[in-house]
Amino acid sequence: MSHLVSIDAAALAAGQAAGDFAASSAAARARLLRALADALEAERESLVPLAEQETGLGLSRLDGELDRTAFQLRGFATELERGAAHRVEDDPAVAGAPPAGRLRLTRVRLPLGPVAMFAASNFPFAFSVLGGDTASALAAGCPVVVKAHPAHPMLSRKTVEIARRVVEQQGWPEGVFQFIEGASVETGVRLVQAPAIAAVAFTGSFRGGIALADIAARRPRPIPFFGELGSTNPLIVLPAMLQRDAKGPAAALAQSICQGSGQFCTSPGVIVVPAGNAGDVFVSALAKALSAQAPQRMLTEGIRSAFDRGVSAWADSSSVRALLAPPARGAAAPSPFLGEVVAGDFIADALLHEEVFGPAALVVRVASNNQAIDVLQTIGGSLTVTLWGAEDESEETRALVRTASQIAGRVLFAGVPTGVAVAAAQHHGGPYPASTQPWSTSVGYAAMDRFLRPVALQDAPEWLLERQGVPC
């Protein structure tokens, strides 16, 4: 019970700090974000080895991820200094009756309030305690209550120590940054139900996310739930690409499938390849390149067990031909898996549409462009769709691009979907089931918009207008 009381206390403290934090200047919040970035980098020598100890993701990868985390903290600071949070739209008064006439209208944006931030397992820095959700919420003027992920508890606590020290040094009330732990379902439920919480940012499993989204919607006063839930990230190999090269792209794709042991939300899980000899060459090259990969151990026993179950379900399907043997369950690290299925069987079997989180993919062989479109429509919402070989315009290419754009938040025409840049034009979201709010992004500077609510001020007094969008 004391654990649950601490959740209520954290949410209450965030609620008490929300008003003053919302009314703070962009410059003050930018200083906070830059100070957090500086503090992270100053503690690199202790943080990165600790992250490696808990996750096994590799020192080089984790060192780069810390750089990314500091980069996005500073990036949101720069956006604040450019006026992104306090953007104002002003329509002067026009004489006469509506609709032609109007009183003066000034549209501003207000912070929603305390944000419950669920840290992710697969990015212990960039999507964790001081990751993108925390950075964007603080930039928007919203206090955060961070729920640590149990996959890296020691790193989370160490990062929290750093964050709390910076918050205190910058003169902010402690309610601006709150932290809770707990691996139980009850912990997450209690946090989402806490009356002071105004929004939720979640990255995790589909089942867990949907359950929490339902709880957020059934509160006495429902709150927005920004959930990134899972994605198969289909990659379409068009004939034009096969005519140029097969082995090079196959090697890049194999590396993408196995990057981080496949524990990326953008890992390509469905590879659509034309039937025929050219497609056979590509699939053979992909299988060979994958067999040479050596994924590291997975983050948790639960993730590994789910991966083994998912691969077994694919391999046991009568319509799937295993191109690589399923991984041995007793091995410390998983081996990559690749299966092949014809488009008709894939479309008909809902089990094959489910994400398998880890170094595994299904090759779907299609007989036509229209069948490739049918595969995309069957998969539904995805964070990404990649189209290789769409450089030349045609009716068929336009149809594929149209379909890809309808089901994905990001459409790639070169490269692989793993590796998500932090930029103003980035969109990391997608239609259901990839995310619960397809118009929002959890990566890039538009992520701040999730936590800002528009308000129109009609004939506002001059003192309020002089605040230039900063809440009072």
Side-chain angles (χ1 to χ4, degrees), residues 187-198:
T187 299
V189 170
R190 185 72 166 237
L191 178 57
V192 172
Q193 290 177 332
I197 296 299

Side-chain angles (χ1 to χ4, degrees), residues 112-138:
L112 292 180
V115 175
M117 198 288 282
F118 285 72
S121 62
N122 54 340
F123 285 89
F125 290 115
F127 279 82
S128 191
V129 173
L130 287 177
D133 285 334
T134 296
S136 56
L138 293 176

Side-chain angles (χ1 to χ4, degrees), residues 267-294:
S267 181
V270 174
I271 317 302
V272 181
V273 181
N277 292 335
D280 293 345
V281 171
F282 176 82
V283 173
S284 177
L286 175 60
K288 182 177 179 180
L290 269 176
S291 67
Q293 296 287 320

Side-chain angles (χ1 to χ4, degrees), residues 5 254 344:
V5 170

Side-chain angles (χ1 to χ4, degrees), residues 219-296:
R219 286 175 32 137
R221 182 177 295 176
I223 58 175
F225 184 94
F226 301 99
E228 181 195 316
L229 308 179
S231 180
T232 59
N233 305 297
L235 185 148
I236 314 296
V237 181
L238 295 173
M241 193 282 290
L242 294 176
Q243 293 171 7
R244 295 194 301 269
D245 184 19
K247 293 183 179 180
L253 179 55
Q255 186 175 23
S256 178
I257 291 169
C258 292
Q259 186 176 358
S261 204
Q263 298 167 122
F264 279 55
C265 51
T266 53
S267 181
V270 174
I271 317 302
V272 181
V273 181
N277 292 335
D280 293 345
V281 171
F282 176 82
V283 173
S284 177
L286 175 60
K288 182 177 179 180
L290 269 176
S291 67
Q293 296 287 320
Q296 68 237 38

